[in-house]
């Protein structure tokens, strides 16, 4: 990966190479960590972070679910995030706050381990490549089910949940696909390995109900943008057949942004090209994040000091 200069570690800016942790860090062994993925985009008024408040709130919600007490207030995390972007002097970046159970005591029970908190930023282009954004990706229904709501809280963005994602992603790639689509334990469509999923049928936009998924902030943004464009949106139960018979489909995520899906399990989605609704949502979304779409300014936090 391309290194930048500074990483925020427990309240201080530390040189990239010096941001290290002990090998007996609890989270390394047991996945006891919560994190966020946030993007900062270039705008005419300098870099701006997209929906920073909502991401920080979700980080605190994830911590609450796993009974982790974060040692900073939300406002402090917001300031720290902006400061680390400023320190690295980048115009666009991906931001990764991570709070993890640190070094202290081994054994499953994390309560005796202090919470360490880091915020790193790096330059991250299109998640599945520029071509994926333009031409779409091929996806495969995974043989791995999304974690059950009573096994590992899919609503919380915990590191532990990402083993499930990693298994699904590796399987999909191994089989020649770009991305996995995970069903929930009842067989309904949940989400991608690192994205939420939408489909369009007869002009209506559908997305799985919020139960077995990470409640994506891009998902929420797309729902709001779609409604503002006059589209009907339904959060509902989705089956794999709904996806096979869709006119259009796409993934949403901070990293994936809006990535069209053109094939699922060897079946062409719609025309086999990114659809009209997907294109329209992509266009508006990219204007929104760059501060070019009136009415969405409150979603941007400008990095420059005021
Ligand atoms: N579901 C999952 C499982 C998920 O990981 C993400 C984000 C989403 C939905 C979409 O959430 P949001 O970013 O708030 O729209 N995945 C993050 C991590 C990707 C990675 O490879 O790391 C991301 O997009 O930042």
């Amino acid at each position: 990966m391309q290194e930048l200069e500074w990483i925020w570690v427990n309240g201080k800016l530390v040189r990239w190479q010096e941001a290290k942790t002990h090998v007996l860090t609890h989270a390394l062994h047991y996945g006891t960590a919560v994190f966020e993925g946030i993007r900062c985009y270039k705008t005419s008024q300098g870099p701006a972070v997209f929906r920073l408040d909502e991401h920080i709130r979700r980080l605190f919600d994830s911590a609450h679910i796993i009974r982790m007490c974060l040692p900073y207030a939300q406002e402090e995390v917001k300031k720290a995030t902006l400061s680390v972007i400023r320190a690295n002097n980048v115009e666009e970046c991906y931001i990764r706050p991570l709070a993890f159970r640190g070094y202290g005591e081994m054994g499953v029970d994390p309560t005796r381990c202090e919470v360490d908190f880091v915020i790193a930023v790096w330059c991250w282009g299109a998640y599945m490549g520029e071509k994926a954004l333009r031409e779409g990706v091929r996806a495969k229904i995974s043989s791995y089910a999304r974690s059950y709501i009573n096994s590992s809280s899919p609503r919380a963005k915990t590191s532990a949940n990402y083993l499930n994602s990693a298994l699904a992603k590796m399987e999909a790639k191994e089989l020649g696909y770009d991305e996995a689509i995970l069903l929930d334990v009842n067989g309904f469509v949940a989400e991608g390995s690192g994205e939420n999923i939408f489909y369009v049928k007869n002009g209506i936009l559908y997305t799985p109900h919020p139960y077995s998924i990470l409640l994506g902030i891009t998902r929420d943004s797309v729902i709001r943008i779609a409604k503002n464009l006059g589209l009907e949106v339904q959060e509902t139960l989705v089956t794999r057949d709904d996806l096979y018979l869709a006119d259009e489909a796409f993934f949403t995520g901070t990293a994936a942004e809006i990535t069209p899906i053109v094939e699922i399990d060897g079946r062409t989605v719609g025309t086999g090209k990114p659809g009209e609704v997907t294109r329209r949502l992509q266009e508006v979304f990219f204007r929104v994040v760059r501060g070019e779409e009136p009415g969405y300014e409150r979603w941007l936090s400008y990095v420059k000091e005021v």
Side-chain angles (χ1 to χ4, degrees):
M1 84 183 293
Q2 196 204 325
E3 293 175 10
L4 296 177
E5 220 175 330
W6 300 101
I7 296 181
W8 189 92
V9 180
N10 294 328
K12 288 194 207 87
L13 288 172
V14 171
R15 292 238 168 243
W16 186 281
Q17 285 294 339
E18 277 144 38
K20 292 182 179 161
T21 189
H22 197 276
V23 293
L24 294 182
T25 292
H26 195 274
L28 201 53
H29 296 248
Y30 308 110
T32 45
V34 293
F35 69 97
E36 268 307 315
I38 315 171
R39 273 192 194 266
C40 168
Y41 290 93
K42 187 174 166 180
T43 78
S44 62
Q45 293 167 71
V49 183
F50 185 60
R51 305 199 70 178
L52 179 57
D53 292 325
E54 290 88 340
H55 280 283
I56 292 174
R57 198 169 312 130
R58 189 173 65 183
L59 181 72
F60 279 72
D61 286 349
S62 299
H64 182 72
I65 288 176
I66 71 157
R67 309 177 70 148
M68 176 191 270
C69 188
L70 298 183
Y72 301 94
Q74 296 193 29
E75 199 49 38
E76 288 175 304
V77 176
K78 181 173 181 177
K79 279 198 187 128
T81 304
L82 296 172
S83 79
V84 70
I85 301 169
R86 234 177 265 131
N88 285 292
N89 201 18
V90 282
E91 281 188 315
E92 294 207 310
C93 62
Y94 182 84
I95 307 155
R96 172 57 55 83
L98 171 79
F100 60 99
R101 290 288 186 172
Y103 175 80
E105 202 148 292
M106 294 310 280
V108 169
D109 181 359
T111 48
R112 310 256 310 249
C113 296
E114 300 262 290
V115 174
D116 285 314
F117 199 141
V118 303
I119 308 172
V121 304
W122 64 85
C123 299
W124 208 359
Y127 192 48
M128 288 179 262
E130 284 296 330
K131 190 164 169 260
L133 284 182
R134 263 194 333 269
E135 296 173 20
V137 294
R138 299 170 54 246
K140 170 98 190 80
I141 306 276
S142 184
S143 73
Y144 291 98
R146 198 77 187 132
S147 300
Y148 175 51
I149 39 169
N150 292 322
S151 325
S152 69
S153 302
R155 185 74 61 90
K157 199 169 168 72
T158 58
S159 297
N161 279 347
Y162 281 84
L163 178 60
N164 182 236
S165 292
L167 290 168
K169 182 82 178 187
M170 288 189 289
E171 178 189 66
K173 287 178 86 174
E174 188 75 28
L175 293 171
Y177 289 85
D178 304 298
E179 186 53 286
I181 297 168
L182 292 97
L183 308 180
D184 66 20
V185 290
N186 296 313
F188 292 98
V189 174
E191 58 187 338
S193 75
E195 312 86 5
N196 292 118
I197 189 166
F198 284 82
Y199 76 93
V200 180
K201 184 74 180 176
N202 298 328
I204 300 174
L205 191 57
Y206 297 88
T207 195
H209 60 61
Y211 308 130
S212 289
I213 62 171
L214 181 74
L215 262 187
I217 289 162
T218 321
R219 176 186 182 275
D220 178 72
S221 307
V222 165
I223 291 173
R224 287 171 199 239
I225 291 170
K227 286 185 177 163
N228 290 344
L229 290 172
L231 279 166
E232 182 180 338
V233 185
Q234 290 193 16
E235 295 177 64
T236 179
L237 288 175
V238 175
T239 67
R240 65 196 294 165
D241 292 341
D242 290 326
L243 297 182
Y244 294 157
L245 298 176
D247 298 328
E248 306 180 24
F250 57 87
F251 287 120
T252 64
T254 298
E257 299 165 310
I258 298 178
T259 301
I261 306 170
V262 292
E263 187 192 310
I264 300 172
D265 292 348
R267 293 145 177 99
T268 303
V269 177
T271 62
K273 295 215 164 73
E276 237 173 81
V277 176
T278 309
R279 282 261 170 266
R280 178 95 185 95
L281 289 168
Q282 269 186 326
E283 274 166 32
V284 179
F285 176 78
F286 282 115
R287 281 209 303 275
V288 168
V289 298
R290 302 214 157 91
E292 295 162 3
E293 190 70 26
Y296 295 93
E297 293 83 1
R298 67 182 193 291
W299 283 354
L300 301 181
S301 297
Y302 288 93
V303 170
K304 73 177 175 204
E305 262 162 310
V306 278

